[in-house]
Amino acid sequence: PSIIVVDFFIIRPAAYVGSATTVIRPVEKTALVAWAAGACIAVLGSSGYLHLSNIAALDAMLVSGVVYAALRWRPRTALSEPL
């Protein structure tokens, strides 16, 4: 859920307006990388190797959101161009 929240509020807010949400787009590789990073953090947190907040699911959501934002970040002027 954090990848969608970051995409909706920070990265591409205009992509969720009107009929743009009815178009099915392919899965983005950056989203998969961020999801995999979050999954790794969740596994490490569940097994006791890494604790950011002592809640593995919360750690995973935080990391995946930050990784997605870091991979997709562009200046605001570049966001007005079609993806």
Side-chain angles (χ1 to χ4, degrees):
S2 62
I3 295 171
I4 296 170
V5 170
V6 169
D7 196 49
F8 182 82
F9 286 108
I10 299 172
I11 304 297
R12 301 181 310 143
Y16 295 90
V17 177
S19 63
T21 58
T22 59
V23 177
I24 297 175
R25 295 187 175 130
V27 176
E28 295 181 24
K29 293 175 185 171
T30 54
L32 287 177
V33 169
W35 173 82
C40 290
I41 294 298
V43 169
L44 290 172
S46 295
S47 57
Y49 292 112
L50 178 67
H51 294 289
L52 300 175
S53 69
N54 291 328
I55 303 171
L58 180 60
D59 295 345
M61 289 193 309
L62 290 172
V63 169
S64 64
V66 169
V67 168
Y68 182 72
L71 292 174
R72 291 290 309 229
W73 185 258
R74 296 183 197 160
R76 284 285 179 191
T77 55
L79 288 177
S80 61
E81 300 171 6
L83 295 174

